[in-house]
Amino acid sequence: MRLLTFLFILCCSALSNAQEISTTKPWTYWWWMGSAVNKADIFAQLKYFQEAGVGGVHIIPIYGVKGYESQAVPFLTPQWMDLMQYTVREGRRLGLGVDMTTGTGWPFGGPNVTPDLGAKTMTVKNNQIDVQPTKQKVKRAAPGGEGLVLDPFHPTAMAQYLSRFDTALNGQKDLPRAMYNDSYEAYGANWTDDFLLEFKKRRGYDLNNHLSQLIDSTGDATSQLVRIDYHQTLAELLRERYAQPWTAWSTKHGFLTRYQAHGSPGNLLDLYDAASIPETESFGTSRFDIPGLRIDPDYSIDQFGTPNSLAMKFASSAAHFSGKKLVSSETGTWLANHFKVSLSQIKPQIDELFTAGINHIFYHGSTYSPEKEAYPGWLFYASTNFGKHSHFAEHFSLLNKYVERCQELLQNSKPDNDVLVYFPIHDLWATPAKSSGNVHLLEVHHVDRWLLDLPFGKLTQQLWKQGFAFDYVSDLQLKRLQLNKNGDLTSGNAFYKSLVIPASTYMPEETLRELKRLAAAGAKIIFENNLPLKVTGYASDNVRQNGFVNALADLGKQKNVRISNNVKKELATMDAFPETISESGLTFIRKKTANGKTLYFICNLSNSFSEGWVKLGRKGHFEKMNPLSSTDEQWSGLSEKGSEIYLTLQPGQSCFLRETDSGSPNQPQTLAAKQFELKGNWKLTFLKGRPNVPKPAEFTALKSWTSLPDSAVYFSGTARYQLRFDCPEELLTSRVKTLDLGDVREVAVVKLNGKFIGTAWSIPFQLNIADKLKAKDNVLEIEVTNLSANYMRLRDTQKPDWKKFEDINIVDITYKKFDASKWEPMPSGLLGPVMILFH
């Protein structure tokens, strides 16, 4: 009896120690190299994530490490499942969530994918169909996960693939929150065994009789219709046989789903819509025009493209339309080369994601590394490193607190978008594809290949720049739209003033019927430039075309349907107005809080605005909050002048504006107009770092410490700058005092007269110093931590033995063999100029 009582108390204690899982905190990808993991090191790294302010981890087993083959644990074996369950239990106790990929590496595939279930590619040769296996293997597979990539269009391949998970999960209690499906990278896959049968059943004719039209690239009208039908069939099969069975299986087992639909030949809106949490991807740098923001010169736009908000909005649009609370993103992939990414480079990319509707950040990423492993530990082949050995690990929590403050507001509010833009994917499908397999792949990297040059892309770029708040809608999603009592379109979860149809050539009959239904109910619809010209579908095209034209003509005559080459003007007549702050170079997302108040997140990713009177699209009084500051800081009222507010937001900064019941009578809080540059004898003391601590130095002009003698050129770590200075009377009596550190490489912790001021880690590197100055003998101390790149220059010259990984091993940002020994030194330390800005 005593034993039972003890066990009961122990169980209750364990439950009481479990902490709530947070989605407002950022999560991280967590690569298990070879799954050569153990419980002690799992706990140590989970503890690091908890203390750093990370909310959860996403387990992705990948290729192994040379010399650790005997410690590798094959995927889904009882030992692997035990380690996974331990991670879930310890994570729960620490307040960390756990997700996992439904597989290893990417895309889906593995040892139970037999050749008949593997991906297939079709080409037309001598007017005959030639089908061959792609023979693609799972990329970056972990032990136990190797094998063929499954056929994403096959009727039973997904069920067979998931059967091994059924076996492994049977009887397991401690399971992850969500299953994950990585971006579609089934290269060349464009066929399945029963494709001809399904095509004829769905499209009404035999594709065998139209193979020449399928591969024709002359622009022939018949060929375009056949190509549309072919892509339509692929898209339907992908949704019905790949996305939906996987999500249904996950739901049955109690998992949420995170789905990266991009890169696939389907309609992204419908695929994202199938998941609990649609997930986009931010790969590379967006090249914002923010003064002082560095861009890795080795990153190749031609090779990888750049992140694009309009592509990100496919995921958030699907979430908004269906009322999904969370929209996630793979964040920070190849933002710069290994050992060169700074916190100040990460924040603007996250801000871009927030304004695109993303609210559940997943860092890319962190690599499990044994605690005993020497620096730099185990690393994934692609940056960025958010793990324990990262050069910004000591200050990582500052970024995480910023993300948490933002996501707390963004996740607990609803979208407030006026406009719904129809995505006419059939116009894309009508054009010859240039990607592998002769199919259009809707990727997030090179959006110029499918999105930006379409009339849809041109229109949405225009609406984005003009400041309209909008979502996208697919043909299938139109069926779920209704009109509410106010005459607004609603999906049941989101509300819109108007539906815009971009200039397009093709439209399905089903879509036209939905538009007629909505128009008859009073929906406000705008056709850009013209009504669509042709109905999709080759079968009985001539007969259906006549009915299509007549129905379109009737639709165009309705008073609430407009055909216009000035969409902005027409939207204004439908009470959909732009946010003019976009004209100032500011980027935003507008939402509604639980009590119906308007909430803005605004960021300045340009160099065309710092302060001024601005007008918001929603009327009311507003107060401002800086998410970089602690949560204890109160929201502050904004000065008003008629319908305008005075906003200060320097390049690189961000803020929230929240509607309040009363305005502020205060004078505008303008930026400081005067400056006092701090000059004198700077004393530099190196505190900690690699390979060793250089000798102290003194100088009167701030410069990179790499220019100093000794080993400073290779030093990666922290050094303290100290300066003594006196204050002029004008500065002492001023009401606003801001310390501007100028160019900081990379993070600065500041003390003034022995009192901690703050840590500057993002652009602009400024801190409020309030009343901490005195007339004589002020002591300013600035501890600066740089990148690890300079040390790795030396390490790769002397001891490059850390590069010991299987598969791709470790590569640089150009995907060539990694070698830091030839790098030029990265500027490090406090470069200045350091000034006090004041009124």
Side-chain angles (χ1 to χ4, degrees):
M1 186 65 182
R2 290 181 178 178
L3 178 61
L4 290 176
T5 302
F6 171 75
L7 291 175
F8 176 77
I9 294 173
L10 187 64
C11 180
C12 291
S13 175
L15 289 173
S16 65
N17 287 334
Q19 300 182 35
E20 183 179 354
I21 304 303
S22 170
T23 59
T24 58
K25 295 178 180 180
W27 290 36
T28 183
Y29 285 32
W30 195 24
W31 296 289
W32 283 11
M33 304 197 84
S35 294
V37 301
N38 63 67
K39 292 181 180 179
D41 288 343
I42 286 174
F43 173 78
Q45 287 167 59
L46 289 177
K47 189 65 177 174
Y48 160 74
F49 291 134
Q50 180 208 36
E51 293 173 350
V54 172
V57 297
H58 167 190
I59 299 171
I60 310 177
I62 54 165
Y63 52 87
V65 182
K66 296 174 184 177
Y68 284 80
E69 292 85 356
S70 63
Q71 298 180 38
V73 181
F75 184 57
L76 295 186
T77 59
Q79 184 182 355
W80 194 94
M81 295 300 294
D82 179 59
L83 289 165
M84 182 272 289
Q85 289 191 95
Y86 172 81
T87 303
V88 173
R89 287 194 302 272
E90 287 303 300
R92 186 185 303 128
R93 190 174 65 81
L94 295 171
L96 296 169
V98 178
D99 291 353
M100 68 171 277
T101 301
T102 319
T104 77
W106 63 91
F108 284 176
N112 68 333
V113 177
T114 54
D116 60 308
L117 299 181
K120 302 166 184 68
T121 188
M122 181 275 291
T123 56
V124 176
K125 297 180 179 179
N126 299 321
N127 209 32
Q128 296 289 323
I129 289 176
D130 179 54
V131 180
Q132 298 291 333
T134 66
K135 298 182 180 179
Q136 182 185 348
K137 301 288 184 68
V138 176
K139 293 177 64 177
R140 321 302 181 213
E146 306 95 334
L148 292 171
V149 169
L150 67 80
D151 176 354
F153 313 110
H154 195 280
T156 62
M158 180 60 78
Q160 172 62 27
Y161 174 70
L162 293 172
S163 64
R164 70 188 297 235
F165 292 87
D166 286 321
T167 302
L169 292 170
N170 186 35
Q172 310 293 335
K173 295 181 180 179
D174 299 304
L175 299 177
R177 174 196 71 154
M179 284 287 169
Y180 171 77
N181 191 339
D182 209 336
S183 56
Y184 181 96
E185 295 185 35
Y187 301 120
N190 63 2
W191 198 256
T192 196
D193 295 341
D194 65 342
F195 187 88
L196 285 175
L197 179 64
E198 287 295 324
F199 185 92
K200 188 173 184 178
K201 181 171 68 175
R202 296 164 188 258
R203 308 283 86 86
Y205 64 99
D206 190 345
L207 182 61
N208 263 319
N209 299 329
H210 298 276
L211 297 177
S212 60
Q213 284 97 345
L214 179 62
I215 62 174
D216 176 61
S217 59
T218 63
D220 174 74
T222 300
S223 299
Q224 291 181 347
L225 289 171
V226 172
R227 270 198 299 273
I228 291 173
D229 286 343
Y230 170 70
H231 275 88
Q232 180 78 51
T233 305
L234 282 177
E236 290 171 359
L237 294 178
L238 182 65
R239 177 172 174 266
E240 297 167 13
R241 295 177 169 184
Y242 187 80
Q244 289 181 333
W246 171 70
T247 55
W249 174 88
S250 299
T251 301
K252 177 183 176 182
H253 286 277
F255 301 119
L256 299 177
T257 51
R258 285 176 35 232
Y259 185 16
Q260 288 195 357
H262 48 268
S264 79
N267 192 320
L268 299 188
L269 294 168
D270 298 330
L271 296 173
Y272 282 134
D273 204 16
S276 314
I277 306 173
E279 178 160 310
T280 188
E281 178 179 347
S282 180
F283 186 109
T285 175
S286 297
R287 286 168 156 69
F288 302 116
D289 187 24
I290 299 174
L293 180 63
R294 295 194 312 281
I295 297 169
D296 195 316
D298 294 329
Y299 181 85
S300 171
I301 294 179
D302 292 339
Q303 190 174 1
F304 302 116
T306 57
N308 188 281
S309 297
L310 296 180
M312 298 168 186
K313 283 180 70 66
F314 277 87
S316 61
S317 291
H320 294 165
F321 192 88
S322 297
K324 303 178 194 299
K325 180 179 180 179
L326 301 176
V327 195
S328 55
S329 173
E330 172 186 325
T331 307
T333 310
W334 280 129
L335 191 48
N337 221 326
H338 293 284
F339 310 106
K340 289 187 177 183
V341 180
S342 68
L343 293 176
S344 64
Q345 291 172 297
I346 298 169
K347 179 184 176 291
Q349 298 298 149
I350 292 177
D351 287 344
E352 179 183 51
L353 286 162
F354 287 158
T355 59
I358 311 306
N359 61 14
H360 190 17
I361 295 296
F362 275 78
Y363 296 131
H364 183 286
S366 306
T367 309
Y368 169 98
S369 186
E371 292 296 297
K372 66 178 181 180
E373 188 73 14
Y375 184 86
W378 294 358
L379 290 179
F380 188 58
Y381 78 92
S383 72
T384 299
N385 177 22
F386 291 86
K388 292 184 72 173
H389 287 307
S390 170
H391 45 249
F392 54 67
E394 183 178 349
H395 306 106
F396 186 27
S397 62
L398 299 173
L399 172 66
N400 296 333
K401 287 301 296 183
Y402 171 78
V403 174
E404 182 182 9
R405 292 181 192 116
C406 291
Q407 292 189 158
E408 174 71 30
L409 292 168
L410 294 172
Q411 290 179 13
N412 292 291
S413 53
K414 294 187 176 181
D416 183 22
N417 295 332
D418 291 332
V419 183
L420 198 56
V421 184
Y422 167 67
F423 177 43
I425 194 171
H426 301 85
D427 277 17
L428 173 66
W429 287 343
T431 62
K434 299 178 182 179
S435 56
S436 62
N438 198 31
V439 293
H440 288 285
L441 302 178
L442 280 62
E443 57 174 320
V444 296
H445 303 293
H446 282 286
V447 294
D448 52 302
R449 295 175 180 172
W450 65 274
L451 172 60
L452 300 185
D453 287 337
L454 288 175
F456 168 82
K458 293 178 180 178
L459 174 64
T460 50
Q461 288 178 80
Q462 184 182 51
L463 293 174
W464 182 261
K465 292 177 182 177
Q466 290 171 342
F468 284 98
F470 58 90
D471 284 326
Y472 309 145
V473 66
S474 72
D475 298 273
L476 284 177
Q477 290 172 326
L478 283 173
K479 298 178 180 180
R480 291 150 55 188
L481 281 175
Q482 301 291 334
L483 251 69
N484 66 9
K485 61 182 180 181
N486 298 322
D488 294 333
L489 287 159
T490 177
S491 64
N493 303 289
F495 302 89
Y496 306 93
K497 298 292 184 183
S498 178
L499 171 64
V500 177
I501 313 297
S504 53
T505 301
Y506 291 99
M507 179 175 282
E509 290 169 292
E510 297 85 352
T511 298
L512 178 55
R513 281 198 293 269
E514 294 304 322
L515 294 180
K516 289 181 65 178
R517 174 183 64 83
L518 293 170
K524 301 166 186 175
I525 303 174
I526 303 171
F527 286 87
E528 181 193 24
N529 296 340
N530 56 266
L531 295 170
L533 303 176
K534 300 177 182 178
V535 67
T536 60
Y538 172 75
S540 305
D541 171 51
N542 291 333
V543 175
R544 293 185 299 105
Q545 178 67 18
N546 291 331
F548 181 77
V549 171
N550 293 333
L552 265 178
D554 292 339
L555 178 62
K557 293 176 183 178
Q558 298 198 37
K559 292 183 179 180
N560 51 312
V561 176
R562 310 285 177 81
I563 304 170
S564 176
N565 60 5
N566 191 336
V567 173
K568 179 180 181 181
K569 179 180 178 181
E570 295 298 338
L571 286 172
T573 68
M574 300 175 178
D575 296 325
F577 299 100
E579 295 284 355
T580 56
I581 57 174
S582 291
E583 298 174 2
S584 300
L586 301 178
T587 311
F588 73 96
I589 185 170
R590 187 180 63 217
K591 307 197 77 178
K592 286 287 186 182
T593 62
N595 61 2
K597 299 291 188 180
T598 300
L599 176 75
Y600 289 88
F601 174 75
I602 304 175
C603 58
N604 190 350
L605 302 176
S606 71
N607 190 24
S608 55
F609 181 88
S610 290
E611 63 179 329
W613 291 100
V614 299
K615 185 176 182 180
L616 299 176
R618 293 290 188 261
K619 297 179 181 179
H621 307 293
F622 287 89
E623 54 187 0
K624 177 184 176 184
M625 189 268 278
N626 175 10
L628 276 180
S629 301
S630 69
T631 52
D632 295 332
E633 180 180 79
Q634 296 295 315
W635 292 72
S636 57
L638 292 171
S639 300
E640 300 176 358
K641 184 178 68 175
S643 60
E644 295 182 317
I645 60 171
Y646 198 87
L647 181 66
T648 59
L649 202 68
Q650 298 182 74
Q653 291 183 331
S654 56
C655 71
F656 281 93
L657 302 184
R658 182 177 65 184
E659 184 183 357
T660 185
D661 293 329
S662 59
S664 171
N666 299 329
Q667 290 296 313
Q669 293 290 325
T670 60
L671 294 174
K674 300 178 181 180
Q675 59 188 44
F676 173 67
E677 184 172 356
L678 299 182
K679 299 179 179 180
N681 187 39
W682 290 92
K683 295 182 178 180
L684 177 63
T685 305
F686 291 92
L687 303 177
K688 58 182 179 180
R690 297 182 178 87
N692 48 54
V693 177
K695 297 177 181 178
E698 295 187 19
F699 35 79
T700 56
L702 290 171
K703 58 185 177 181
S704 171
W705 69 49
T706 58
S707 62
L708 299 175
D710 199 15
S711 59
V713 70
Y714 294 115
F715 179 75
S716 292
T718 304
R720 180 191 300 120
Y721 292 78
Q722 185 186 78
L723 178 72
R724 294 181 177 272
F725 66 96
D726 298 335
C727 269
E729 180 66 21
E730 183 184 24
L731 173 56
L732 279 175
T733 58
S734 64
R735 57 185 175 88
V736 176
K737 304 180 187 72
T738 301
L739 179 65
D740 187 326
L741 300 176
D743 191 358
V744 176
R745 305 297 181 95
E746 302 295 328
V747 177
V749 179
V750 181
K751 287 184 179 180
L752 180 59
N753 296 324
K755 297 179 180 179
F756 174 72
I757 299 297
T759 303
W761 59 271
S762 65
I763 297 172
F765 295 98
Q766 296 180 349
L767 297 168
N768 178 23
I769 56 176
D771 300 320
K772 297 180 176 63
L773 289 170
K774 54 186 183 179
K776 298 291 184 179
D777 199 29
N778 292 278
V779 180
L780 178 64
E781 296 173 292
I782 306 171
E783 293 186 2
V784 179
T785 302
N786 70 335
L787 302 172
S788 50
N790 290 342
Y791 168 69
M792 293 309 297
R793 292 173 57 242
L794 178 65
R795 176 66 183 270
D796 263 10
T797 300
Q798 296 180 340
K799 199 174 182 182
D801 57 338
W802 65 276
K803 295 178 282 188
K804 55 185 178 183
F805 314 114
E806 304 286 356
D807 197 275
I808 195 172
N809 197 347
I810 191 91
V811 294
D812 65 17
I813 202 168
T814 65
Y815 278 67
K816 296 177 181 177
K817 184 178 179 181
F818 184 88
D819 183 7
S821 65
K822 297 179 175 60
W823 285 352
E824 292 296 319
M826 293 290 291
S828 299
L830 183 63
L831 309 188
V834 178
M835 295 183 289
I836 299 177
L837 311 177
F838 65 100
H839 279 301

